[in-house]
Amino acid sequence: MAVTIKDIARRTGKSITTVSRALADYDDVSPATKELVRRVADEMGYTPNRLAQRLQKRRTETIGLILPTFGPRFADPFFSELLAGIGNTAASYGYDLLVSTQAPGEKELETYRQKVQGGQVDGLIVVRTRRHDKRIDYLRKADVPFAVFGRTEDALDYPFVDEDGEYGMQLMVEHLVDLGHRRIACIAPPPHLMFAHYRMLGIHKAMEKAGLALQDELLVVGDLTQRGGYQQAERLLDLSPRPSAIIACNDLMALGAMSAAQKRGLVVGRDITITGFDDIPMAEHAHPPLTTVHQPIYKIGSMVCDMLLQILSGQEPEERQVILKPKLIVRQSSGAVA
Amino acid sequence: MAVTIKDIARRTGKSITTVSRALADYDDVSPATKELVRRVADEMGYTPNRLAQRLQKRRTETIGLILPTFGPRFADPFFSELLAGIGNTAASYGYDLLVSTQAPGEKELETYRQKVQGGQVDGLIVVRTRRHDKRIDYLRKADVPFAVFGRTEDALDYPFVDEDGEYGMQLMVEHLVDLGHRRIACIAPPPHLMFAHYRMLGIHKAMEKAGLALQDELLVVGDLTQRGGYQQAERLLDLSPRPSAIIACNDLMALGAMSAAQKRGLVVGRDITITGFDDIPMAEHAHPPLTTVHQPIYKIGSMVCDMLLQILSGQEPEERQVILKPKLIVRQSSGAVA
DNA sequence: ATTGACAACCAAAACGTTTTGGGCTAGAAT
DNA sequence: ATTCTAGCCCAAAACGTTTTGGTTGTCAAT
């Protein structure tokens, strides 16, 4: 059995109270006693039982993160980097990170409820928002501290970090138009996702501004994976005339699209332009390197975690709602029209 | 404040004991009472406080996973898929997953100690083993349940799942030799990692069997990232005569190496052969698609989690030590010598 | 009438901590 | 001689559960 505070009390001849207070460095314990208690605790290899501490303190010092996994092939570099950002920040404040995997759907809210009401977490981080997000409705109603990566279409009265996808896509379209592209296609994300909305909005607006329109046949929806990008790109490449540029709404789909184009013998960046969004590490090392919009994923994870921790500590966060301005990263996958 | 069992007791006029036992479906509670208690619990929106349950039961129903993150750019598709495998399996048994991020080094063992002795987890999963792994030494000594992805050079008396990297690399070398390659280079993983050892062993053995030797100048060490693969490949490509094939010891480095080769105008699969290991989803969609060794990452996560859960439930796992036979996946990044 | 068996219930202890609300002693101030 | 203060200490309650070891009442068998 693990050594408890009681064991230390017995061994030092002090009371449980005194031991507890000595370890917590209260000043109604004499220096000598503190010294003694600490030495004995060390000798006996004492580690506080966090469960008991938490039960008593009514705070868990744990934040929850529920990852929207989709089936077995969930190799999204995006999430591992986000996780690193959140995890490292949480750890630096002594907080634990409870990660659940749960596909979006029926049981999802139940998972949130359980973590919250079961007192397993002090707060939650919500990622990949939907346009109308029941998770946020629930958390708001239940008065649970939370912070969000992304926005929703409903009242934005909660703390969030998001990147300005609309602006990012405007930059991208302007870039393509400057290169002479007119017949521009798009592989969109599933439309219920909020970031899909903003990115598409940016595309539509910028196209319109350039006197263009996104034609129906040039708009397809992909599932955000590389395979999905590949499949949807094939459909676009079958059209004639072929689009001269394909805007994929995330890097993974862009890489898939590049692969589809190259399979047909097209040289990406010359015969066809393909662009992404996110700037995952792979984008830089793709062949050709991918033109994309940068999103500081690690930093976003870190920021959103910081926000939540500030709320949990009772402060109002310095910045409650952050929208980051993205940067366009021009590489070789985009080129002038032939 | 959340609804507790006490509130239900008051409301139903029963004792705390009876309520607890009714909810747990003990048979010394009358059906009528059970019905009543359950109804009231439901009405009041009761969720058991897991902390209290755990403290009392002395099991946390939580397993720990400590991810070896290396700095901010941690976009490893490998780990997100492993995480999904572990997470989904844990969830299907009602277990929680406590994830910590902790770079290897000084503080690492302390993190393990804390989770274990603080009673935060019932068991741990160890990933990315080192040849001599202090984490395993510690867990073994501390008599903590754990399961491992990977092996070590020390006594293998613990439960693990691993892929036979030696065999996998033998398949790969044979494939290359069959294609006529003689001047074969290698981008090795950091040598303290156990999987590096096995993969390199496979390469050395198979080369020797083919009457070849891995020359010193053709052996470089990369950091497992795409950037690392790129940098090390540049060194190899500067040599003259150039190697006709480069075996990268993981897919990420292989992708980086491809990128380096392509930058020099080489056609991968014709002018130079480049291969990987892992078969991450991206490998299939690389251009050209990457010849690699398949590793069922999700399944491995799931298996190692299963093992741990079986141990925690007191059973001896059906298979305590599993070594999976890998399959060679030949795609277009490997070709016959020009 | 007593005994035994059974169904239904419950008080109290326990898990390991922190917090509350004190107590005791020695010395200083009145 | 009393009162006050400061310094150190501690018993007990509390957090929300589960488990232990009962008790009570009813009915059937003796």
Coordinates of all heavy atoms in Angstrom, one line a residue, chain A residues 45 47-51 54-55 67 72-77 80-81 83 87-88 96-99 101 115 117-120 226-227 259 262 279-282 284-285 287 298, chain B residues 45 47-51 54-55 67 72-76 80-81 83 87-88 96-99 101 113 115 117-120 226-227 259 262 279-282 284-285 287 298:
Chain A
G45 N 8.9 8.1 0.9 CA 8.5 8.1 -0.5 C 7.0 8.5 -0.6 O 6.3 7.9 -1.4
T47 N 3.7 10.3 -1.7 CA 3.1 11.1 -2.8 C 1.7 11.3 -2.4 O 1.0 10.3 -2.1 CB 3.2 10.3 -4.1 OG1 4.4 9.7 -4.3 CG2 2.9 11.3 -5.2
P48 N 1.2 12.5 -2.4 CA -0.2 12.7 -2.0 C -1.1 12.0 -2.9 O -0.9 11.9 -4.1 CB -0.4 14.2 -2.1 CG 0.9 14.8 -2.6 CD 1.9 13.7 -2.7
N49 N -2.2 11.5 -2.3 CA -3.2 10.9 -3.1 C -4.1 12.0 -3.7 O -4.8 12.6 -3.1 CB -4.0 9.9 -2.3 CG -5.1 9.2 -3.1 OD1 -5.8 9.9 -3.9 ND2 -5.2 7.9 -2.9
R50 N -3.9 12.1 -5.0 CA -4.6 13.2 -5.7 C -6.1 13.1 -5.7 O -6.8 14.1 -5.6 CB -4.1 13.2 -7.2 CG -2.6 13.4 -7.3 CD -2.2 14.8 -7.4 NE -2.1 15.3 -8.7 CZ -2.4 16.5 -9.1 NH1 -2.9 17.3 -8.2 NH2 -2.2 16.9 -10.3
L51 N -6.6 11.9 -5.7 CA -8.0 11.7 -5.6 C -8.6 12.2 -4.4 O -9.6 13.0 -4.4 CB -8.3 10.2 -5.7 CG -8.8 9.6 -7.0 CD1 -8.0 10.1 -8.1 CD2 -8.9 8.1 -6.9
R54 N -8.5 15.9 -4.3 CA -9.4 16.5 -5.2 C -10.8 16.5 -4.6 O -11.6 17.4 -4.7 CB -9.4 15.8 -6.5 CG -8.2 16.1 -7.3 CD -8.0 15.2 -8.4 NE -6.8 15.6 -9.2 CZ -6.4 15.0 -10.2 NH1 -7.0 13.9 -10.6 NH2 -5.4 15.4 -10.9
L55 N -11.1 15.3 -4.0 CA -12.4 15.2 -3.4 C -12.7 16.2 -2.4 O -13.7 16.9 -2.3 CB -12.5 13.8 -2.8 CG -13.9 13.5 -2.2 CD1 -15.0 13.5 -3.2 CD2 -13.8 12.1 -1.5
L67 N -11.7 14.3 -28.3 CA -11.2 14.3 -29.6 C -12.3 13.6 -30.6 O -12.7 12.5 -30.3 CB -9.9 13.5 -29.8 CG -8.6 14.2 -29.3 CD1 -7.5 13.2 -29.6 CD2 -8.4 15.5 -30.0
P72 N -11.0 4.1 -37.5 CA -9.6 3.7 -37.1 C -8.5 4.5 -37.7 O -7.5 4.7 -37.1 CB -9.5 2.2 -37.6 CG -10.8 1.9 -38.2 CD -11.7 3.1 -38.3
R73 N -8.7 5.0 -38.9 CA -7.6 5.6 -39.6 C -7.6 7.1 -39.2 O -8.1 8.0 -40.0 CB -7.7 5.4 -41.1 CG -6.4 5.3 -41.8 CD -5.5 4.1 -41.5 NE -4.3 4.1 -42.4 CZ -3.2 3.6 -42.0 NH1 -3.0 3.1 -40.9 NH2 -2.2 3.6 -42.9
F74 N -7.2 7.4 -38.0 CA -7.2 8.8 -37.6 C -5.8 9.4 -37.4 O -5.3 9.6 -36.4 CB -8.0 8.8 -36.2 CG -8.0 10.2 -35.6 CD1 -8.9 11.1 -36.1 CD2 -7.3 10.5 -34.5 CE1 -9.0 12.4 -35.6 CE2 -7.4 11.8 -33.9 CZ -8.2 12.7 -34.4
A75 N -5.2 9.6 -38.6 CA -3.8 10.0 -38.5 C -3.7 11.5 -38.9 O -3.2 11.8 -39.9 CB -3.0 9.2 -39.4
D76 N -4.4 12.3 -38.1 CA -4.4 13.7 -38.4 C -3.3 14.4 -37.7 O -3.3 14.6 -36.5 CB -5.8 14.3 -38.0 CG -6.1 15.6 -38.7 OD1 -5.1 16.3 -38.9 OD2 -7.2 15.8 -39.1
P77 N -2.3 14.9 -38.4 CA -1.2 15.6 -37.8 C -1.6 16.8 -37.1 O -1.0 17.3 -36.2 CB -0.2 15.9 -39.0 CG -1.1 15.8 -40.2 CD -2.2 14.9 -39.9
S80 N -2.5 15.9 -33.4 CA -1.4 15.6 -32.5 C -0.6 16.9 -32.1 O -0.2 17.0 -31.0 CB -0.5 14.5 -33.1 OG 0.1 15.0 -34.3
E81 N -0.6 17.8 -33.0 CA 0.1 19.0 -32.7 C -0.7 19.9 -31.7 O -0.2 20.5 -30.8 CB 0.4 19.8 -33.9 CG 1.3 21.0 -33.6 CD 2.0 21.5 -34.9 OE1 2.1 20.8 -35.9 OE2 2.6 22.6 -34.8
L83 N -2.8 18.7 -29.6 CA -2.7 18.0 -28.3 C -1.4 18.4 -27.6 O -1.4 18.6 -26.4 CB -2.7 16.5 -28.6 CG -2.7 15.6 -27.4 CD1 -4.0 15.8 -26.6 CD2 -2.6 14.2 -27.8
G87 N -1.5 20.0 -24.1 CA -0.9 19.1 -23.0 C 0.3 19.8 -22.3 O 0.4 19.8 -21.1
N88 N 1.2 20.4 -23.1 CA 2.3 21.1 -22.5 C 1.9 22.3 -21.6 O 2.5 22.5 -20.6 CB 3.3 21.5 -23.6 CG 4.0 20.3 -24.2 OD1 4.0 19.2 -23.6 ND2 4.6 20.5 -25.3
D96 N -3.8 18.2 -15.2 CA -3.8 17.0 -16.0 C -4.7 17.1 -17.2 O -5.6 18.0 -17.1 CB -4.3 15.8 -15.1 CG -3.3 15.3 -14.2 OD1 -2.1 15.5 -14.5 OD2 -3.6 14.8 -13.1
L97 N -4.5 16.3 -18.1 CA -5.3 16.3 -19.3 C -6.0 15.0 -19.5 O -5.4 14.0 -19.6 CB -4.5 16.6 -20.5 CG -5.2 16.8 -21.9 CD1 -6.1 18.0 -21.8 CD2 -4.2 17.0 -23.0
L98 N -7.3 15.0 -19.5 CA -8.1 13.8 -19.6 C -8.6 13.8 -21.1 O -9.4 14.6 -21.5 CB -9.3 13.8 -18.7 CG -10.0 12.5 -18.6 CD1 -9.2 11.4 -18.0 CD2 -11.3 12.6 -17.7
V99 N -8.1 12.8 -21.8 CA -8.5 12.8 -23.2 C -9.5 11.7 -23.5 O -9.3 10.5 -23.1 CB -7.3 12.5 -24.1 CG1 -7.7 12.4 -25.6 CG2 -6.3 13.7 -24.0
T101 N -11.8 9.9 -26.6 CA -12.1 9.8 -28.1 C -13.5 9.5 -28.2 O -14.0 8.6 -27.5 CB -11.2 8.7 -28.7 OG1 -11.4 7.5 -28.0 CG2 -9.7 9.1 -28.7
K115 N -18.2 13.6 -18.0 CA -17.0 14.1 -17.5 C -17.2 15.3 -16.5 O -16.6 15.5 -15.5 CB -16.1 14.7 -18.7 CG -15.8 13.7 -19.7 CD -14.9 12.6 -19.2 CE -14.8 11.4 -20.1 NZ -14.7 10.1 -19.5
Q117 N -20.3 16.3 -14.9 CA -21.1 16.1 -13.7 C -20.5 15.1 -12.8 O -20.7 15.1 -11.6 CB -22.5 15.6 -14.1 CG -23.1 16.4 -15.2 CD -24.5 16.9 -14.9 OE1 -25.1 16.4 -14.0 NE2 -25.0 17.8 -15.7
G118 N -19.7 14.2 -13.4 CA -19.0 13.2 -12.5 C -17.8 13.8 -11.8 O -17.1 13.2 -11.1
G119 N -17.6 15.1 -12.0 CA -16.6 15.8 -11.3 C -15.2 15.3 -11.7 O -14.3 15.4 -11.0
Q120 N -15.1 14.9 -13.0 CA -13.8 14.4 -13.4 C -12.9 15.5 -14.0 O -11.7 15.4 -14.0 CB -14.0 13.4 -14.5 CG -14.6 12.1 -14.1 CD -14.6 11.0 -15.1 OE1 -13.5 10.5 -15.4 NE2 -15.7 10.7 -15.7
Q226 N -6.7 12.7 -46.7 CA -5.9 12.7 -48.0 C -6.6 11.9 -49.0 O -6.7 12.3 -50.2 CB -4.6 12.0 -47.7 CG -3.4 12.7 -48.4 CD -2.1 12.4 -47.8 OE1 -2.1 12.0 -46.6 NE2 -1.1 12.5 -48.5
R227 N -7.2 10.7 -48.6 CA -7.9 9.9 -49.5 C -9.1 10.7 -50.1 O -9.4 10.6 -51.3 CB -8.4 8.7 -48.8 CG -9.3 7.7 -49.6 CD -9.8 6.6 -48.8 NE -8.7 5.8 -48.3 CZ -8.2 4.8 -49.0 NH1 -8.7 4.4 -50.2 NH2 -7.2 4.1 -48.5
S259 N -1.7 14.4 -55.4 CA -1.4 13.0 -55.8 C -2.2 12.6 -57.0 O -1.8 11.9 -57.9 CB -1.6 12.1 -54.6 OG -1.7 10.8 -54.9
Q262 N -0.9 14.3 -60.1 CA 0.3 13.8 -60.6 C 0.2 12.4 -61.2 O 0.9 12.0 -62.1 CB 1.3 13.7 -59.4 CG 1.8 15.1 -59.0 CD 2.5 15.2 -57.7 OE1 2.2 14.3 -56.8 NE2 3.3 16.2 -57.5
D279 N -1.0 24.6 -43.2 CA 0.4 24.6 -43.1 C 0.9 23.6 -42.1 O 1.6 23.9 -41.2 CB 1.0 25.9 -42.8 CG 2.5 26.0 -43.1 OD1 3.0 25.2 -44.0 OD2 3.2 26.8 -42.5
I280 N 0.5 22.3 -42.2 CA 1.0 21.3 -41.4 C 2.5 21.0 -41.9 O 2.9 21.4 -43.0 CB 0.2 19.9 -41.5 CG1 0.2 19.5 -43.0 CG2 -1.2 20.1 -41.0 CD1 -0.6 18.2 -43.2
P281 N 3.3 20.5 -41.0 CA 4.7 20.4 -41.3 C 5.0 19.7 -42.7 O 5.9 20.0 -43.4 CB 5.3 19.4 -40.2 CG 4.3 19.6 -39.1 CD 3.0 19.9 -39.7
M282 N 4.1 18.8 -43.0 CA 4.2 18.1 -44.3 C 4.1 19.0 -45.5 O 4.6 18.7 -46.6 CB 3.1 17.1 -44.4 CG 3.5 15.8 -44.9 SD 2.3 14.6 -44.4 CE 2.3 14.9 -42.7
E284 N 5.3 21.8 -46.2 CA 6.6 22.3 -46.6 C 7.4 21.3 -47.4 O 8.2 21.6 -48.3 CB 7.4 22.8 -45.4 CG 8.7 23.4 -45.7 CD 9.5 23.7 -44.4 OE1 8.9 23.6 -43.3 OE2 10.7 24.0 -44.5
H285 N 7.2 20.0 -47.0 CA 8.1 19.0 -47.6 C 7.4 18.2 -48.7 O 7.8 17.2 -49.1 CB 8.6 18.0 -46.5 CG 9.5 18.7 -45.6 ND1 10.8 19.0 -45.9 CD2 9.3 19.2 -44.4 CE1 11.4 19.6 -44.9 NE2 10.5 19.8 -44.0
H287 N 5.9 17.5 -52.5 CA 6.6 17.8 -53.8 C 5.6 18.0 -54.8 O 4.8 17.2 -55.2 CB 7.5 16.6 -54.2 CG 8.2 16.9 -55.4 ND1 9.3 17.7 -55.5 CD2 8.0 16.4 -56.7 CE1 9.7 17.8 -56.8 NE2 8.9 17.0 -57.5
Y298 N 0.1 24.6 -32.8 CA 0.6 24.4 -31.4 C 0.2 25.6 -30.6 O -0.3 25.5 -29.4 CB 2.1 24.2 -31.5 CG 2.7 23.9 -30.1 CD1 2.9 22.6 -29.7 CD2 3.1 25.0 -29.3 CE1 3.5 22.4 -28.5 CE2 3.7 24.7 -28.1 CZ 3.9 23.4 -27.6 OH 4.4 23.2 -26.4
Chain B
G45 N -31.3 14.3 -11.9 CA -30.2 14.5 -12.7 C -28.9 14.0 -12.0 O -27.8 14.7 -12.2
T47 N -25.5 12.3 -11.2 CA -24.4 11.6 -11.8 C -23.4 11.3 -10.7 O -23.1 12.2 -9.9 CB -23.6 12.5 -12.8 OG1 -24.6 13.2 -13.6 CG2 -22.7 11.6 -13.7
P48 N -23.0 10.0 -10.6 CA -22.1 9.7 -9.4 C -20.8 10.5 -9.5 O -20.3 10.8 -10.6 CB -21.8 8.2 -9.6 CG -22.5 7.8 -10.9 CD -23.3 8.9 -11.4
N49 N -20.3 10.9 -8.4 CA -19.1 11.5 -8.3 C -18.0 10.5 -8.5 O -17.7 9.7 -7.6 CB -18.9 12.3 -7.0 CG -17.6 13.1 -7.0 OD1 -16.6 12.5 -7.2 ND2 -17.7 14.3 -6.6
R50 N -17.3 10.5 -9.6 CA -16.3 9.5 -9.9 C -15.1 9.5 -8.9 O -14.6 8.5 -8.6 CB -15.8 9.6 -11.3 CG -16.9 9.6 -12.3 CD -17.2 8.2 -12.8 NE -16.4 7.9 -14.0 CZ -15.9 6.7 -14.2 NH1 -16.1 5.7 -13.4 NH2 -15.2 6.5 -15.3
L51 N -14.8 10.7 -8.5 CA -13.7 10.9 -7.6 C -14.0 10.1 -6.3 O -13.1 9.4 -5.8 CB -13.5 12.3 -7.3 CG -12.3 13.0 -7.9 CD1 -12.3 12.7 -9.4 CD2 -12.3 14.5 -7.7
R54 N -14.0 6.4 -6.8 CA -12.6 5.9 -7.0 C -11.8 5.9 -5.7 O -11.1 4.9 -5.4 CB -11.9 6.8 -8.0 CG -12.4 6.6 -9.3 CD -11.9 7.7 -10.2 NE -12.4 7.4 -11.6 CZ -12.1 8.1 -12.6 NH1 -11.4 9.3 -12.5 NH2 -12.5 7.8 -13.8
L55 N -12.0 6.9 -4.9 CA -11.3 6.9 -3.6 C -11.7 5.7 -2.8 O -10.8 5.0 -2.2 CB -11.6 8.2 -2.9 CG -11.0 8.4 -1.5 CD1 -9.5 8.3 -1.7 CD2 -11.4 9.7 -0.9
L67 N 3.0 10.8 -23.5 CA 3.5 11.0 -24.9 C 4.9 11.7 -24.9 O 5.0 12.7 -24.3 CB 2.5 11.8 -25.7 CG 1.2 11.2 -26.2 CD1 0.4 12.1 -27.0 CD2 1.5 9.9 -27.0
P72 N 7.6 22.1 -30.0 CA 6.3 22.5 -30.5 C 5.8 21.8 -31.7 O 4.6 21.5 -31.9 CB 6.5 24.0 -30.8 CG 7.9 24.3 -30.4 CD 8.6 23.1 -30.1
R73 N 6.7 21.4 -32.6 CA 6.3 20.9 -33.9 C 6.2 19.4 -33.7 O 7.1 18.6 -34.1 CB 7.3 21.3 -34.9 CG 6.7 21.5 -36.3 CD 5.7 22.6 -36.4 NE 5.3 22.8 -37.9 CZ 4.2 23.4 -38.2 NH1 3.3 23.8 -37.4 NH2 3.9 23.5 -39.5
F74 N 5.1 18.9 -33.1 CA 4.9 17.5 -32.9 C 3.7 17.0 -33.7 O 2.7 16.7 -33.2 CB 4.7 17.3 -31.4 CG 4.4 15.9 -31.0 CD1 5.4 14.9 -31.1 CD2 3.2 15.5 -30.6 CE1 5.2 13.6 -30.7 CE2 2.9 14.1 -30.2 CZ 3.9 13.2 -30.3
A75 N 3.9 17.0 -35.0 CA 2.8 16.6 -35.8 C 3.0 15.2 -36.3 O 3.2 15.0 -37.5 CB 2.6 17.6 -37.0
D76 N 3.0 14.2 -35.4 CA 3.3 12.9 -35.8 C 2.0 12.1 -36.0 O 1.3 11.8 -35.1 CB 4.2 12.2 -34.8 CG 4.9 11.0 -35.3 OD1 4.3 10.3 -36.1 OD2 6.0 10.8 -34.9
S80 N -1.1 10.1 -33.4 CA -2.5 10.4 -33.3 C -3.3 9.1 -33.6 O -4.4 8.9 -33.0 CB -2.9 11.6 -34.2 OG -2.7 11.3 -35.5
E81 N -2.8 8.3 -34.4 CA -3.5 7.1 -34.7 C -3.4 6.1 -33.6 O -4.4 5.4 -33.2 CB -3.0 6.4 -36.0 CG -3.8 5.3 -36.5 CD -3.6 4.9 -37.9 OE1 -3.0 5.7 -38.7 OE2 -4.0 3.8 -38.3
L83 N -3.0 6.9 -30.5 CA -3.9 7.5 -29.5 C -5.4 7.1 -29.7 O -6.1 6.7 -28.8 CB -3.8 9.0 -29.5 CG -4.6 9.7 -28.4 CD1 -4.0 9.4 -27.1 CD2 -4.5 11.2 -28.7
G87 N -7.4 5.1 -27.1 CA -8.5 5.8 -26.5 C -9.8 5.1 -26.7 O -10.7 4.9 -25.8
N88 N -10.1 4.6 -28.0 CA -11.3 3.9 -28.2 C -11.5 2.6 -27.5 O -12.5 2.3 -27.0 CB -11.4 3.7 -29.7 CG -11.7 5.0 -30.5 OD1 -12.1 6.0 -29.9 ND2 -11.5 4.9 -31.8
D96 N -11.0 5.7 -18.5 CA -10.5 7.0 -18.9 C -9.1 6.9 -19.3 O -8.4 6.0 -18.9 CB -10.7 8.0 -17.8 CG -12.1 8.4 -17.6 OD1 -12.9 8.3 -18.6 OD2 -12.5 8.8 -16.5
L97 N -8.7 7.9 -20.1 CA -7.3 8.0 -20.5 C -6.7 9.3 -20.1 O -7.2 10.3 -20.5 CB -7.3 7.8 -22.1 CG -5.9 7.8 -22.7 CD1 -5.2 6.5 -22.2 CD2 -6.1 7.8 -24.2
L98 N -5.7 9.2 -19.3 CA -5.0 10.4 -18.8 C -3.8 10.6 -19.7 O -2.9 9.7 -19.6 CB -4.7 10.3 -17.4 CG -4.2 11.5 -16.7 CD1 -5.3 12.6 -16.6 CD2 -3.7 11.2 -15.3
V99 N -3.7 11.6 -20.4 CA -2.6 11.8 -21.3 C -1.7 12.9 -20.8 O -2.1 14.0 -20.5 CB -3.0 12.2 -22.7 CG1 -1.9 12.5 -23.6 CG2 -3.9 11.1 -23.3
T101 N 2.0 15.0 -21.7 CA 3.0 15.2 -22.6 C 4.3 15.5 -21.8 O 4.3 16.2 -20.9 CB 2.7 16.4 -23.5 OG1 2.4 17.5 -22.7 CG2 1.5 16.1 -24.4
R113 N 6.2 8.6 -11.8 CA 6.0 8.4 -10.4 C 4.7 9.0 -9.9 O 4.0 8.5 -9.1 CB 7.2 9.0 -9.6 CG 8.3 8.0 -9.3 CD 9.3 8.8 -8.5 NE 8.8 9.5 -7.4 CZ 8.6 9.0 -6.2 NH1 8.9 7.7 -5.9 NH2 8.0 9.6 -5.2
K115 N 2.0 10.0 -11.4 CA 0.7 9.4 -11.9 C 0.4 8.2 -11.1 O -0.7 7.9 -10.7 CB 0.8 9.1 -13.4 CG 1.1 10.2 -14.3 CD 0.0 11.3 -14.2 CE 0.5 12.5 -14.9 NZ 0.0 13.7 -14.3
Q117 N 2.0 6.9 -8.1 CA 1.9 6.9 -6.6 C 0.8 7.9 -6.2 O 0.2 7.7 -5.1 CB 3.2 7.4 -6.1 CG 4.4 6.7 -6.7 CD 5.3 6.1 -5.6 OE1 5.2 6.5 -4.4 NE2 6.2 5.3 -6.0
G118 N 0.4 8.8 -7.0 CA -0.7 9.7 -6.6 C -2.0 9.0 -6.8 O -3.0 9.6 -6.6
G119 N -2.0 7.8 -7.3 CA -3.2 7.0 -7.4 C -4.1 7.6 -8.5 O -5.3 7.5 -8.5
Q120 N -3.4 8.2 -9.5 CA -4.2 8.8 -10.6 C -4.6 7.8 -11.7 O -5.5 8.0 -12.4 CB -3.4 10.0 -11.2 CG -3.3 11.1 -10.3 CD -2.8 12.3 -11.1 OE1 -3.4 13.0 -11.8 NE2 -1.5 12.6 -10.9
Q226 N 10.2 14.8 -40.9 CA 10.3 15.0 -42.4 C 11.5 15.9 -42.7 O 12.3 15.6 -43.6 CB 9.0 15.6 -42.9 CG 8.6 15.1 -44.2 CD 7.2 15.4 -44.4 OE1 6.4 15.7 -43.5 NE2 6.7 15.3 -45.7
R227 N 11.6 16.9 -41.9 CA 12.8 17.8 -42.0 C 14.1 17.1 -41.9 O 15.0 17.3 -42.6 CB 12.7 19.0 -41.0 CG 13.9 19.9 -41.0 CD 13.7 21.0 -39.9 NE 12.5 21.8 -40.2 CZ 12.4 22.8 -40.9 NH1 13.5 23.3 -41.6 NH2 11.3 23.5 -41.1
S259 N 11.5 14.4 -51.0 CA 11.4 15.8 -51.3 C 12.8 16.3 -51.6 O 13.0 17.1 -52.6 CB 10.8 16.5 -50.1 OG 11.1 17.9 -50.1
Q262 N 13.8 15.0 -55.1 CA 13.0 15.7 -56.2 C 13.5 17.1 -56.4 O 13.5 17.6 -57.5 CB 11.5 15.6 -55.8 CG 10.9 14.2 -56.0 CD 9.6 14.0 -55.3 OE1 9.2 14.8 -54.4 NE2 8.9 13.0 -55.8
D279 N 4.0 2.8 -42.9 CA 2.8 2.9 -43.8 C 1.8 3.8 -43.1 O 0.6 3.3 -42.9 CB 2.2 1.5 -44.1 CG 1.2 1.5 -45.2 OD1 1.3 2.4 -46.1 OD2 0.3 0.7 -45.2
I280 N 2.2 5.0 -42.8 CA 1.2 6.0 -42.4 C 0.3 6.3 -43.6 O 0.7 6.0 -44.7 CB 1.9 7.2 -41.9 CG1 2.8 7.9 -42.9 CG2 2.7 6.9 -40.6 CD1 3.4 9.1 -42.5
P281 N -0.9 6.8 -43.4 CA -1.9 7.0 -44.5 C -1.2 7.8 -45.6 O -1.5 7.6 -46.8 CB -3.0 7.8 -43.8 CG -2.9 7.4 -42.4 CD -1.5 7.1 -42.1
M282 N -0.4 8.7 -45.2 CA 0.2 9.6 -46.2 C 1.1 8.8 -47.2 O 1.3 9.3 -48.3 CB 1.1 10.5 -45.5 CG 1.1 11.9 -46.0 SD 1.7 12.9 -44.7 CE 0.6 12.4 -43.3
E284 N 0.7 6.2 -48.8 CA -0.1 5.8 -50.0 C -0.3 6.9 -51.0 O -0.4 6.7 -52.2 CB -1.4 5.2 -49.5 CG -2.3 4.6 -50.7 CD -3.6 4.2 -50.1 OE1 -3.8 4.2 -48.9 OE2 -4.5 4.0 -50.9
H285 N -0.4 8.1 -50.4 CA -0.8 9.2 -51.3 C 0.4 10.1 -51.6 O 0.2 11.2 -52.1 CB -1.9 10.1 -50.6 CG -3.2 9.3 -50.5 ND1 -4.0 9.1 -51.6 CD2 -3.7 8.6 -49.5 CE1 -5.0 8.4 -51.2 NE2 -4.9 8.1 -50.0
H287 N 3.8 11.2 -53.6 CA 4.0 11.1 -55.0 C 5.5 10.9 -55.3 O 6.3 11.9 -55.0 CB 3.6 12.4 -55.8 CG 3.8 12.2 -57.2 ND1 3.0 11.5 -58.0 CD2 4.7 12.8 -58.0 CE1 3.4 11.5 -59.3 NE2 4.5 12.3 -59.3
Y298 N -3.2 1.6 -35.4 CA -4.4 1.6 -34.6 C -4.6 0.3 -33.9 O -4.9 0.3 -32.7 CB -5.6 1.9 -35.6 CG -6.9 2.0 -34.9 CD1 -7.4 3.3 -34.4 CD2 -7.7 0.9 -34.6 CE1 -8.6 3.4 -33.8 CE2 -8.9 1.0 -33.9 CZ -9.3 2.3 -33.6 OH -10.5 2.4 -32.9

